[in-house]
Amino acid sequence: QSVLTQPPSVSGAPGQRVTISCTGNPSNIGAGHDVHWYQHLPGTVPKLLIYANNNRPSGVPDRFSGSKSGTSASLAITGLQAEDEARYYCQSYDNSLSGLVFGGGTTLTVL
Amino acid sequence: EVQLVESGGGLVQRGGSLRLSCEGSGFSFSIYSMNWVRQAPGKGLEWISYISFSSDNIHYADSVKGRFTISRDNAKNSLYLQMDSLRAEDTAVYYCARVASPYAGMFYWGQGTLVTVSS
């Protein structure tokens, strides 16, 4: 059971928009800690997609965006492409655990 | 170019020990904090340990507390993870990752090293 809750899977057709939610609690996201998002393809290294809630590292397309409100955060992907098929993880810091926490991950399928 | 290269993974018996290393290059290793993150087969990412740039702030996940020890040698640009009393559930790919603080995102990751604990 992950501290941050994500849906196990989402799907969408090419060109569509999908969102992935990440629900925390007052000890992590609700405490004001930043949320970061990672894209992970099988056999590769996790890639930072969004940092500090809504910032994209250099090279990440603006099709990817993040938001945060209260004890939750969301990752939105617009203009879905086949190459977006991957597992996506949210991550934050938890005061009660004095450490980093990940969501369980969400598998994105492009139909 | 920032590079992180892990080594030391392998097959070990349950109850045994293993020491992982992570060598950084292409950046000032001594001013960055570091994390160890793992992924068990078929599972998600799990953070396991954090060490500040000066080693004065160290944290562990409950799943490894008391069994794993994180350390670093800034003179050698290296991060370590001493893993003792290994269990089957410690089988995973272990990644080191660079961070600016415990609250920051992990921009750079190593390629990972596989640890397999046999029962």
Side-chain angles (χ1 to χ4, degrees):
Chain A
Q1 194 79 359
S2 301
V3 174
L4 303 180
T5 301
Q6 298 180 234
S9 63
V10 297
S11 63
Q16 284 190 333
R17 178 181 186 270
V18 296
T19 61
I20 298 173
S21 61
C22 174
T23 302
N25 60 46
S27 182
N28 40 66
I29 300 176
H33 292 303
D34 287 335
V35 177
H36 318 288
W37 291 90
Y38 301 87
Q39 179 190 58
H40 195 196
L41 284 77
T44 69
V45 176
K47 173 186 175 182
L48 182 64
L49 205 60
I50 298 288
Y51 68 95
N53 309 315
N54 54 15
N55 297 278
R56 286 186 307 277
S58 174
V60 173
D62 59 6
R63 301 186 297 105
F64 296 90
S65 63
S67 64
K68 173 191 159 186
S69 178
T71 58
S72 296
S74 289
L75 172 70
I77 309 172
T78 59
L80 267 182
Q81 300 179 3
E83 67 203 48
D84 297 334
E85 278 206 345
R87 194 156 179 85
Y88 293 83
Y89 296 88
C90 60
Q91 177 247 306
S92 187
Y93 183 89
D94 191 284
N95 290 337
S96 297
L97 300 174
S98 295
L100 280 66
V101 287
F102 280 99
T106 299
T107 298
L108 168 64
T109 301
V110 180
L111 301 171
Chain B
E1 179 192 5
V2 173
Q3 283 198 318
L4 295 168
V5 179
E6 300 97 337
S7 60
L11 179 63
V12 61
Q13 285 192 331
R14 184 178 55 187
S17 298
L18 211 55
R19 188 195 197 205
L20 305 184
S21 299
C22 168
E23 184 172 354
S25 61
F27 66 102
S28 297
F29 184 83
S30 63
I31 66 172
Y32 283 94
S33 301
M34 300 292 293
N35 281 313
W36 284 103
V37 175
R38 69 183 180 185
Q39 185 178 35
K43 304 290 186 180
L45 298 175
E46 180 190 16
W47 167 81
I48 57 173
S49 189
Y50 164 89
I51 186 168
S52 62
F53 68 93
S54 60
S55 302
D56 62 350
N57 192 10
I58 288 175
H59 297 292
Y60 298 98
D62 287 344
S63 58
V64 305
K65 200 172 293 183
R67 301 187 300 121
F68 289 12
T69 303
I70 191 172
S71 63
R72 65 190 296 162
D73 185 340
N74 287 339
K76 296 183 178 179
N77 292 336
S78 292
L79 170 74
Y80 306 103
L81 186 69
Q82 176 66 40
M83 305 186 295
D84 299 319
S85 303
L86 283 162
R87 306 167 180 167
E89 54 264 37
D90 295 319
T91 294
V93 175
Y94 285 73
Y95 299 97
C96 61
R98 191 190 88 172
V99 285
S101 81
Y103 316 107
M106 291 174 270
F107 281 77
Y108 295 98
W109 297 62
Q111 85 287 352
T113 187
L114 176 62
V115 172
T116 303
V117 182
S118 67
S119 53

